[in-house]
Amino acid sequence: MNRDYEKEFQAYLAKEKTLAYMMLQRAKAFGDQTALIYRESGSWHTISWADFGERIIQVAKGLLAMGIEPGDMAAIFSQNRPEWAFCDLGILATRAVTVPIYATNTAPEAEYIVKDAGVKFIFVGDQDQYDRSVEVMDRADSLKKIIAFDKRITIRGGASLYLEDLLETGKAAGTGDQLEQRLTSVDSEDMLTLIYTSGTTGNPKGTIHTHKSFMAGIFPSITRFEDIMRPGLISLAILPLSHVFERMWSYGCMSTGIQIAYCPDPKEFVEVMNDIQPHLLTSVPRIWEKVYGTINHGLKDASPAKAKLFHWATDTAVAHYRKRKSDKKPGLGLSLKHALADKLVCRKVRQKLGAERNLVYHVGGGAFAKEINEFFQAFGINIIQGYGLTEFFPVCVGFNDHGKVGACGPVIPLVQVRISDEGEIQLKGENAMKGYLNKPEATKANFTADGWFKTEDVGHIEGDKFKYITITDRIKDLIITAGGKNISPQQIELLLGDEPFIEQVVVVGEGKKYITALIVPAFPVLEAYAQKNNIAYQSRLDLIENPDVIALYEQTVAERTASLGRVEQIKKIKLME
């Protein structure tokens, strides 16, 4: 019997109403159970659901006492931490709108967002973000208050206060009735958040999501996990909460009682993984490409016997995985070999990565090499590639054993997908944005005449019971060389993604006779190599201009891209700091 997801969603929306209302109801239901896990001063701490709910209410009442009105814009300019979540929900409880700002944004980048959105309040996480916000306040008339999460931040002037002071104001404020009225009068079509796009082709655009469009992303996603989502599980938040991916996933998990652990720094990924041992997480492919590259790089220093054992175990695990995914039962011989390979090698890799309890680890936000995805799947780490955009999120959410290496999926219920005559992936569903703030022409340009969202991604759809999307490129990213050849930079960059010596790579060549790679080295790895090989240097610039270093990267790139056609091959590299 087919489920009526549309009918279920309407019932869900009627019951849960809005994101803040839903989270406060969960706080009552889960009480003393753990809601959040965070690290401070080297130790891990927890916050209960009861405390979490109380802090949401205190933030909301404090903001009401300071005069926040429905529709006012309040920004959060911080790294991931518990305060991010309960201030976000406190803002939403007052019928105001949360505007995330990436923790790494510069003062001019933050200033553009504050001015464009008309931000009235801004919450900051550290001294740098506070100082940038003070700089912005001098030039932004709308900004009235800066609220610092951390008492270690040095604040100045009457327009700044600490979150602790806001919470105390909320405790003492007689705004309970006003909060109840605001909380229960929120309409599902009210704006919930304004998320700014990256702005790689101009100024960023403020993407409008309502309570309904946000809940329309959460509901169908969690229906995929009805058999596993429960209190006691842990999801690790690595991606910034300012990104729609982590924010929506975290709240979806929390709505089922799952604990959220905040990773303070993605560079500490493996350490935090071992501390937390999460069941679930979201990440970008780059993290797993680095792990894969580090594993393979380490084999170069391993003894011949250990390297041989690892390669045998990898071949065995991959063969076993491919049999299972082809719906063919592995034979007795392969099953016995796989059991031995798992005991001797694969299990140790899972233990080293803190991934023994993994149920699903989601990746998104970029292409994920099929070879790397298959490696981790074969080693028992269930990494599945999802898909979505700031303007339309999510589209694909992997679950259980329904991942498909090389593709995104499955597509979630309530989302329709089609491929245009030009090969563009187009989408329709309740989780689509309502438009870009103050940019009606840009909004119009992103939808077809019949209401489908234009992703600008090129790809195809496959599958029967579950639909999968394979993305082959971005429409605007295709390089047309001087010779008129269309080249996909994404496919070239994927070949270099897991190289330990490379931190970032961008392929260029529009209108040129050949393809060039702009490379930012992984400096810790390169510096260790230089020391080992007696390459003297005074600075990083000195190091990347060294002929021996340039030759190393030229050789590495040539070897990694040897499979490409002649016109696709990289003819020149440029190392950058």
Side-chain angles (χ1 to χ4, degrees):
M1 182 178 176
N2 292 330
R3 293 177 62 171
D4 188 341
Y5 283 103
E6 179 59 40
K7 184 177 180 180
E8 287 185 34
F9 173 60
Q10 294 305 324
Y12 173 85
L13 197 59
K15 176 186 176 185
E16 308 294 2
K17 296 181 174 61
T18 66
L19 189 60
Y21 183 89
M22 178 171 70
M23 289 294 110
L24 286 170
Q25 293 304 307
R26 297 302 187 274
K28 293 176 183 177
F30 295 128
D32 292 333
Q33 295 181 49
T34 297
L36 304 176
I37 304 170
Y38 66 101
R39 192 170 71 185
E40 187 173 78
S41 302
S43 300
W44 290 97
H45 306 271
T46 62
I47 295 175
S48 72
W49 270 100
D51 287 344
F52 181 58
E54 186 59 31
R55 293 183 202 187
I56 294 170
I57 291 171
Q58 289 168 4
V59 168
K61 290 171 70 177
L63 288 172
L64 287 171
M66 290 200 303
I68 198 167
E69 295 291 340
D72 277 352
M73 301 286 177
I76 302 180
F77 188 13
S78 172
Q79 295 88 349
N80 288 2
R81 52 192 297 166
E83 293 87 346
W84 209 113
F86 63 73
C87 287
D88 180 21
L89 294 166
I91 292 164
L92 299 180
T94 68
R95 291 191 71 183
V97 179
T98 301
V99 184
I101 300 177
Y102 279 96
T104 55
N105 276 171
T106 63
E109 289 169 335
E111 180 183 344
Y112 175 83
I113 292 172
V114 168
K115 286 182 173 179
D116 189 63
V119 169
K120 187 174 180 179
F121 303 89
I122 187 167
F123 293 82
V124 299
D126 64 23
Q127 190 69 53
D128 286 342
Q129 291 147 4
Y130 175 80
D131 292 340
R132 291 175 215 157
S133 297
V134 170
E135 189 179 333
V136 170
M137 181 174 267
D138 291 338
R139 296 188 293 269
D141 293 338
S142 66
L143 189 55
K144 304 302 180 186
K145 291 289 183 182
I146 304 174
I147 303 158
F149 286 159
D150 200 320
K151 289 284 283 188
R152 290 170 293 188
I153 297 171
T154 301
I155 65 174
R156 53 194 181 273
S160 298
L161 68 153
Y162 291 111
L163 176 61
E164 184 177 299
D165 299 324
L166 179 67
L167 296 176
E168 288 300 319
T169 298
K171 286 180 186 178
T175 52
D177 291 343
Q178 188 182 8
L179 173 60
E180 183 66 21
Q181 190 276 330
R182 291 272 186 98
L183 187 62
T184 55
S185 65
V186 177
D187 188 276
S188 63
E189 295 292 352
D190 284 351
M191 191 190 306
L192 175 143
T193 191
L194 196 59
I195 305 175
Y196 279 78
T197 59
S198 60
T200 53
T201 56
N203 285 328
K205 298 185 287 290
T207 304
I208 298 170
H209 276 287
T210 64
H211 288 269
K212 184 177 182 180
S213 67
F214 214 79
M215 300 286 267
I218 291 175
F219 168 73
S221 300
I222 62 174
T223 62
R224 294 299 205 191
F225 299 92
E226 289 169 335
D227 58 333
I228 63 168
M229 279 189 161
R230 62 185 184 278
L233 300 184
I234 301 174
S235 181
L236 180 62
I238 302 169
L239 294 178
L241 285 163
S242 47
H243 193 293
V244 67
F245 190 2
E246 186 61 68
R247 190 168 167 217
M248 191 178 288
W249 171 256
S250 288
Y251 288 143
C253 285
M254 292 178 74
S255 73
T256 70
I258 290 175
Q259 302 166 27
I260 304 298
Y262 295 117
C263 179
D265 186 341
K267 293 177 182 177
E268 301 172 2
F269 172 66
V270 174
E271 177 189 345
V272 172
M273 284 285 292
N274 276 278
D275 286 348
I276 299 298
Q277 299 186 28
H279 304 86
L280 305 153
L281 62 79
T282 63
S283 66
V284 290
R286 187 65 180 152
I287 287 178
W288 296 104
E289 289 169 355
K290 279 293 183 185
V291 172
Y292 179 79
T294 300
I295 290 170
N296 282 282
H297 187 68
L299 290 175
K300 295 178 181 179
D301 297 324
S303 67
K306 284 188 175 180
K308 185 177 181 180
L309 174 62
F310 190 90
H311 289 307
W312 169 82
T314 300
D315 291 343
T316 301
V318 168
H320 189 267
Y321 171 75
R322 288 176 178 173
K323 278 284 187 183
R324 289 190 294 108
K325 293 304 290 184
S326 65
D327 294 328
K328 295 178 182 178
K329 188 175 181 180
L332 178 61
L334 180 57
S335 295
L336 291 173
K337 285 170 63 180
H338 178 254
L340 182 61
D342 191 71
K343 180 179 180 180
L344 296 177
V345 177
C346 303
R347 186 182 304 169
K348 293 178 180 178
V349 171
R350 294 196 299 273
Q351 291 172 343
K352 188 76 172 176
L353 294 176
E356 290 182 281
R357 301 196 300 183
N358 86 97
L359 296 173
V360 179
Y361 292 168
H362 302 281
V363 296
F368 193 29
K370 184 176 181 179
E371 173 193 357
I372 298 175
N373 195 174
E374 186 176 59
F375 169 86
F376 286 112
Q377 284 284 357
F379 270 60
I381 301 175
N382 189 25
I383 301 174
I384 303 179
Q385 187 169 11
Y387 177 53
L389 305 95
T390 302
E391 296 90 342
F392 197 117
F393 196 88
V395 179
C396 298
V397 176
F399 69 105
N400 298 349
D401 62 346
H402 295 298
K404 184 179 178 69
V405 296
C408 306
V411 175
I412 62 170
L414 301 181
V415 168
Q416 300 176 61
V417 186
R418 74 181 185 187
I419 305 297
S420 73
D421 292 341
E422 296 75 28
E424 181 185 38
I425 299 165
Q426 297 180 348
L427 310 167
K428 184 178 278 192
E430 296 279 15
N431 52 340
M433 70 165 182
K434 297 307 172 186
Y436 296 118
L437 183 71
N438 301 325
K439 290 181 170 56
E441 291 304 314
T443 300
K444 184 179 179 181
N446 274 268
F447 287 88
T448 64
D450 56 346
W452 290 72
F453 178 74
K454 298 158 67 175
T455 66
E456 297 187 354
D457 287 324
V458 178
H460 58 267
I461 309 166
E462 59 184 304
D464 296 317
K465 182 179 179 181
F466 296 117
K467 299 293 184 184
Y468 296 86
I469 298 174
T470 299
I471 301 168
T472 55
D473 226 305
R474 291 281 291 170
I475 288 175
K476 291 183 178 179
D477 285 350
L478 287 172
I479 294 172
I480 304 176
T481 66
K485 299 292 185 181
N486 285 3
I487 294 173
S488 165
Q490 189 178 89
Q491 303 307 313
I492 300 173
E493 291 162 4
L494 271 176
L495 296 174
L496 301 169
D498 64 313
E499 171 53 51
F501 280 93
I502 295 176
E503 183 63 38
Q504 297 179 55
V505 59
V506 174
V507 173
V508 297
E510 182 71 21
K512 304 296 183 182
K513 294 180 179 179
Y514 53 81
I515 299 298
T516 298
L518 307 179
I519 297 172
V520 176
F523 280 104
V525 177
L526 178 57
E527 287 163 356
Y529 173 87
Q531 184 177 6
K532 184 178 180 180
N533 290 274
N534 299 315
I535 298 174
Y537 64 97
Q538 299 299 318
S539 65
R540 285 185 169 180
L541 180 60
D542 190 26
L543 181 59
I544 62 176
E545 290 180 346
N546 185 287
D548 291 338
V549 170
I550 294 171
L552 167 69
Y553 278 85
E554 286 176 340
Q555 180 182 350
T556 299
V557 168
E559 291 174 353
R560 285 298 192 108
T561 60
S563 62
L564 295 173
R566 186 176 60 83
V567 296
E568 298 172 308
Q569 289 181 351
I570 295 169
K571 300 295 192 297
K572 183 179 179 180
I573 68 165
K574 173 64 176 176
L575 300 181
M576 308 174 73
E577 285 188 271

